[in-house]
Every structure is written in C-alpha cells, then in structure tokens.
Amino acid sequence: MHEDLEKIVVTAEQIDTRVRALAAEISRDYAEVGELTIIAIINGALMFTADLMRHITLPVRLDCMRVSSYRDDTSPVQKPQIIDTLRLDIRDRHVLVIDDILDTGFTFERVMREIRSLRPATARFAALLEKKARRAVSARADYVGFDIPDEFVIGYGLDFAEHYRNLPYIGVLRADCQNPPEWS
Ligand code: IMP
Ligand code: MG
C-alpha cells in the first residue's frame, strides 16, 4: 500500500472482477441495438473506461468530455463546466457516459444535460464508484461498480491535486497528506 494512504477501499482484484461483470451486463443490455458510443469524462474515468471497454463485446465508438470540477482540494464545485466537448456526432446513437465517481451529482447533472441536448437515441450513465451520502441533486447511475462511504478516495484514475491517478487500487488519503505545503 502507498504510504500516503490510510487504507485500501477497493483492491485491484476487486476492480478487475467488478469491471468484467459490468462489461458483461452492458454487452447484454446493448446486444439488440448492436453498437455503443462511450463518452469518458476525463481525466478521472480514463482507467475505468479503458478496462471496461476491452471487455465489452459490441462495436464501440469512443469520445471524451473534459469537465472541471475539483481544483486542488477535496471540495466540489457546484457548477462544473464542460471545458472540452465531443468530436463525434451522437444524434440517434446509444450513448453511455462513464465517470470515475458519482458524488454530489453536479457533474452528472451538467454532463447529462449537455448529452441530451445533442439528441441521442438513449443516454445512460456508468460510474465506477458512488457516494450516496453526498448526493446534492437527483442523479442516478445506470451502472455502478462500488458503493463507498463518504471519504475522499484516490487511485485508479482518481486524483488529489493530480497525484495518485496511477495507483492500481482505490484508497483513502491520509488527512495529513491533504494540502501539503509543497504542492501550493
Ligand atoms: P460530483 O460532481 O460531486 O458528483 O463529483 C464528480 C467528480 O468529482 C468526479 O468525476 C471526480 O473527479 C470528483 N470526485 C468526487 N469525489 C471524489 C473523491 O473521493 N476522490 C477524487 N475525486 C472525487
Ligand atoms: Mg472526474
């Protein structure tokens, strides 16, 4: 375990097992429509999207959306902004938006509003993690990897001030490692 962590919440093995199960479920759910357009919310959803995609057995199109949400600390912004949007045309397509974590729901709300305005055939949302305790707006993911307690987590794509995204597991950051003076 990385020394800045208090504990591991989801191991690499648990992620792998769950990601395969989700990919199987998604492949079944979209089997009839035959093709899927995945929209990854970067940077956080990068690892989850890459791993999920390679276990999906249908033809997949991929695009990314960049949303500003956290700055260099652990509190969310209420109005996330889309700072880089889609290149693909998603009109009449079956869209699955993928994010790392569904927390307050502000990002979900902003992104799904944008997606729906582009008139896809269907639009669903997948999140690797969900913190139900922190929901501030109504938001429901169609696919969820793990329900986790209200603690700030990092790893497997999730960062704190751009650190720790490369850890292969998900863990809770030690309190004394949040806002270290050398990062300001
Ligand atoms: P929401 O808008 O509050 O639902 O938060 C969604 C975004 O906030 C996610 O895509 C993450 O980038 C970030 N986020 C929320 N909780 C955490 C956390 O515990 N660790 C790291 N990033 C988080
Ligand atoms: Mg994110």
Side-chain angles (χ1 to χ4, degrees):
M1 180 174 93
H2 192 290
E3 59 182 12
D4 294 356
L5 292 187
E6 190 183 302
K7 63 180 175 201
I8 291 179
V9 178
V10 192
T11 67
E13 291 73 23
Q14 287 170 321
I15 294 171
D16 182 57
T17 304
R18 188 73 188 111
V19 164
R20 286 169 192 266
L22 281 175
E25 190 184 338
I26 291 166
S27 301
R28 276 195 305 274
D29 289 354
Y30 288 89
E32 267 184 30
V33 299
E35 190 202 64
L36 183 59
T37 300
I38 285 177
I39 311 289
I41 309 297
I42 51 174
N43 296 324
L46 211 108
M47 294 218 191
F48 177 40
T49 304
D51 286 344
L52 189 69
M53 271 181 73
R54 72 187 100 188
H55 298 299
I56 291 178
T57 52
L58 304 164
V60 162
R61 305 192 315 152
L62 173 69
D63 205 346
C64 296
M65 203 181 251
R66 189 181 291 273
V67 179
S68 65
S69 125
Y70 283 81
R71 298 182 75 89
D72 284 353
D73 54 34
T74 57
S75 42
V77 290
Q78 291 212 354
K79 293 196 186 339
Q81 289 185 354
I82 296 171
I83 50 181
D84 197 4
T85 194
L86 305 180
R87 304 287 187 275
L88 290 183
D89 184 1
I90 60 166
R91 194 179 178 104
D92 299 329
R93 302 290 187 144
H94 295 278
V95 169
L96 179 63
V97 176
I98 301 186
D99 205 356
D100 49 5
I101 181 165
L102 180 54
D103 184 24
T104 61
F106 289 119
T107 304
F108 170 96
E109 192 181 49
R110 180 68 195 91
V111 168
M112 293 310 265
R113 177 154 43 91
E114 176 75 5
I115 295 292
R116 290 197 184 101
S117 76
L118 299 168
R119 308 259 174 261
T122 60
R124 289 184 183 161
F125 192 90
L128 175 69
L129 307 172
E130 169 166 51
K131 281 187 210 165
K132 286 217 175 86
R134 302 221 330 143
R135 204 58 39 79
V137 290
S138 105
R140 214 195 115 262
D142 301 277
Y143 303 97
V144 176
F146 303 92
D147 215 328
I148 61 163
D150 181 13
E151 290 176 294
F152 192 81
V153 293
I154 45 151
Y156 195 69
L158 293 112
D159 73 307
F160 173 73
E162 289 304 326
H163 292 242
Y164 313 112
R165 288 196 200 273
N166 56 321
L167 297 181
Y169 44 76
I170 293 159
V172 174
L173 188 60
R174 272 171 33 201
D176 60 309
C177 290
Q178 301 187 8
N179 291 323
E182 66 270 24
W183 290 359
S184 56

